[in-house]
């Protein structure tokens, strides 16, 4: 009897340790335009360290983005993950993956509100949730406006956003490109300013460390795996209609799983009225990753996403 009780104690301890190592996350995404959001969501789904409480959509046609996420999650075998839509906004960019979104069979014609969902989850799990922001920060700003005290109870926020020392097209060699207003910051500057002033532990993956090219060899390896997840990525890639994706957003997910993949340094960042993210003297308000190893990233990413 004593040995049975000891065995049960060990099982309970191991189960509690496994639960403690699982990080609760919410992924806020503008999936459907560029292709990197889908690759980021795929990585999260293949990371057992993450408990995905929900996916929220932001910017532009948020309902259509939510329908895309519904279908993607279902085809990846995770229809249980709730999807919520943020408030729609004006957007002039092309929704490249519209056909995939409109072809889903989830039966959902509308989705709950993203901001309400985010705040409700924070109240339920204060100090436990990592918000991974991989789109314009519309929902983030709205949540801060609605209930800043609750928003501050996030464990941390990890975003793909900003450009500190390197701009678009600067992948670490060749002609340097100066910092530029980055898409996610530029499309809601006011919300970005609120986030950087919020006091929530903030981890930033800017253009400096996220211009990671998924070349032809890596694409071929990934797309021939034949899983529900990789087949969905293959379809979305072809609907996107360009050749070599830059996996900006997956680095934010990678950091949430393994911070060693993108070491950060404490900085004070000011978001100016034009959407530049400018370092300046003063008390740090973010941890910023200015350099990453593409080789280490792709070994991690491909091992996870290609897994059967």
């Amino acid at each position: 009897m004593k040995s049975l009780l000891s065995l049960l104690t060990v099982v309970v301890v191991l189960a509690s340790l496994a639960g403690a190592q699982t990080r609760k996350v919410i992924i806020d995404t503008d999936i459907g335009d560029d292709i990197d959001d889908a690759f980021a969501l795929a990585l999260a789904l293949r990371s057992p360290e993450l408990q995905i409480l929900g996916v929220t959509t932001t910017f532009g046609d948020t309902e259509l983005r939510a329908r895309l996420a519904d279908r993607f999650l279902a085809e990846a075998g995770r229809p249980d993950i709730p999807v919520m839509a943020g408030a729609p906004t004006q957007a002039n960019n092309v929704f490249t993956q519209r056909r995939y979104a409109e072809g889903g069979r989830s039966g959902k014609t509308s989705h709950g509100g993203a901001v309400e969902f985010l705040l409700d989850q924070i109240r339920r799990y204060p100090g436990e949730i990592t918000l991974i922001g991989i789109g314009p920060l519309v929902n983030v700003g709205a949540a801060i406006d609605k209930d800043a005290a609750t928003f501050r109870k996030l464990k941390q926020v990890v975003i793909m956003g900003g450009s500190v020392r390197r701009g678009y097209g600067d992948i670490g060699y060749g002609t340097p490109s100066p910092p530029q207003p980055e898409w996610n910051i530029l499309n809601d500057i006011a919300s970005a300013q609120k986030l950087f002033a919020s006091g929530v532990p903030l981890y930033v993956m800017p253009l400096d460390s996220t211009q990671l090219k998924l070349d032809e060899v890596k694409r071929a390896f990934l797309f021939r795996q034949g899983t529900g997840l990789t087949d969905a990525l293959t379809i979305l890639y072809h609907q996107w209609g360009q050749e070599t994706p830059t996996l900006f957003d997956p680095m934010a997910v990678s950091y949430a799983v393994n911070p060693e993949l993108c070491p950060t340094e404490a900085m004070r960042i000011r978001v100016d009225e034009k959407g530049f993210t400018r370092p300046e003297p003063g008390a740090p308000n973010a941890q910023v990753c200015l350099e990453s190893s593409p080789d280490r990233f792709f070994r991690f990413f491909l091992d996870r996403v290609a897994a059967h």
Side-chain angles (χ1 to χ4, degrees):
M1 184 68 175
K2 184 180 289 186
S3 61
L4 178 59
L5 290 173
S6 298
L7 179 60
L8 289 172
T9 301
V10 170
V11 170
V12 169
V13 169
L14 289 175
S16 65
L17 287 173
Q21 293 169 355
T22 302
R23 296 160 206 159
K24 295 179 174 64
V25 301
I26 294 173
I27 300 172
D28 190 53
T29 174
D30 60 340
I31 193 169
D33 302 333
D34 203 345
I35 191 62
D36 55 328
D37 293 78
F39 284 95
L41 185 52
L43 177 60
L45 291 169
R46 284 290 186 266
S47 295
E49 300 90 345
L50 303 182
Q51 178 188 353
I52 305 173
L53 299 177
V55 174
T56 56
T57 60
T58 183
F59 190 66
D61 191 341
T62 51
E63 273 292 342
L64 192 59
R65 297 191 197 283
R67 289 169 60 187
L68 192 160
D70 281 336
R71 180 178 177 184
F72 187 82
L73 291 168
E75 292 181 359
R78 292 299 311 274
D80 56 298
I81 296 175
V83 178
M84 303 291 165
T89 68
Q90 290 294 320
N92 297 321
N93 53 313
V94 178
F95 198 118
T96 63
Q97 297 137 67
R98 176 177 293 274
R99 283 180 295 158
Y100 184 93
E102 293 176 339
R105 296 183 178 85
S106 72
K108 295 180 184 177
T109 57
S110 63
H111 296 78
V115 172
E116 293 77 7
F117 174 79
L118 172 60
L119 292 171
D120 285 346
Q121 291 298 305
I122 298 170
R123 293 183 192 109
R124 184 177 180 185
Y125 303 110
E128 296 184 47
I129 296 175
T130 295
L131 175 63
I132 303 176
I134 55 175
L137 297 165
V138 181
N139 292 331
V140 169
I144 293 171
D145 286 343
K146 186 167 186 176
D147 191 342
T150 294
F151 186 84
R152 285 194 293 270
K153 293 177 183 177
L154 282 165
K155 178 179 181 180
Q156 60 184 14
V157 177
V158 180
I159 65 167
M160 186 279 129
S163 169
V164 179
R165 295 174 184 163
R166 292 157 53 183
Y168 285 105
D170 188 337
I171 56 176
Y173 49 86
T175 304
S177 175
Q180 298 169 256
E182 180 275 328
W183 174 265
N184 289 340
I185 302 295
L186 181 63
N187 277 284
D188 195 336
I189 294 170
S191 288
Q193 291 170 334
K194 292 170 189 174
L195 175 61
F196 278 83
S198 69
V200 174
L202 177 60
Y203 298 83
V204 180
M205 312 292 118
L207 296 180
D208 307 66
S209 56
T210 60
Q211 299 191 69
L212 303 152
K213 302 292 184 179
L214 187 69
D215 63 31
E216 182 179 3
V217 173
K218 297 181 182 70
R219 294 196 304 273
F221 167 75
L222 193 61
F223 294 162
R224 68 171 176 257
Q225 298 306 312
T227 68
L229 181 65
T230 59
D231 286 352
L233 288 173
T234 303
I235 294 169
L236 291 171
Y237 166 77
H238 286 292
Q239 288 191 9
W240 175 61
Q242 300 181 47
E243 185 175 3
T244 302
T246 305
L247 301 192
F248 303 100
D249 292 338
M251 182 54 86
V253 175
S254 298
Y255 184 85
V257 176
N258 181 3
E260 293 181 2
L261 289 168
C262 210
T264 61
E265 58 182 272
M267 303 183 72
R268 182 167 189 83
I269 298 292
R270 176 174 61 89
V271 181
D272 74 10
E273 68 282 357
K274 295 182 179 179
F276 284 89
T277 43
R278 302 190 183 278
E280 62 180 15
N285 59 358
Q287 294 283 335
V288 184
C289 177
L290 296 176
E291 189 171 353
S292 64
S293 166
D295 287 342
R296 289 190 66 200
F297 167 79
F298 278 112
R299 285 182 182 276
F300 174 80
F301 177 84
L302 292 172
D303 282 348
R304 295 272 174 124
V305 179
H308 286 255

